[in-house]
Amino acid sequence: RGKIVTETMPSVSKKRWDRFIGAMKLDERVEFNEGDIGLSGGIQVWEPASMNITTVDMIRRFGGSTSPAAQWPEEENAGDDDEDRFDRME
């Protein structure tokens, strides 16, 4: 695929390329959930909630300062390997 793209790109006019990039809206932030505005540069794809059912939120959120000097809070059940294995089995 990469070879096809690199061979085709020289035939695409600058005007057409600029129009394509503008239509992608890569400078706008992508919304993860309602009110949870994420990073720019992504492409948002909607899928049915029943497509990938999860019982545990994989994104961990911590309130407080975003300073690099601030310590992360301790995780609950840190190092509890038996609990982790059981969660993976479910």
Side-chain angles (χ1 to χ4, degrees):
R1 292 185 207 170
K3 182 179 179 183
I4 294 170
V5 172
T6 55
E7 290 174 352
T8 306
M9 282 303 297
S11 66
V12 178
S13 70
K14 178 157 175 45
K15 180 180 176 182
R16 185 172 182 157
W17 179 252
D18 289 341
R19 193 173 49 217
F20 170 73
I21 294 297
M24 296 295 288
K25 300 181 182 179
L26 296 173
D27 55 340
E28 295 181 12
R29 292 178 176 257
V30 178
E31 185 174 355
F32 291 124
N33 289 322
E34 185 177 340
D36 187 359
I37 303 298
L39 304 173
S40 60
I43 299 173
Q44 190 170 31
V45 177
W46 292 94
E47 63 184 33
S50 61
M51 188 172 170
N52 295 302
I53 299 172
T54 58
T55 57
V56 177
D57 189 5
M58 300 307 290
I59 299 173
R60 295 187 179 155
R61 303 173 194 282
F62 299 101
S65 172
T66 58
S67 168
Q71 295 290 317
W72 287 86
E74 291 289 328
E75 288 190 39
E76 295 177 15
N77 300 329
D80 190 359
D81 294 333
D82 292 335
E83 181 71 25
D84 291 343
R85 278 188 245 152
F86 182 71
D87 285 343
R88 285 193 299 265
M89 288 179 10
E90 291 183 341

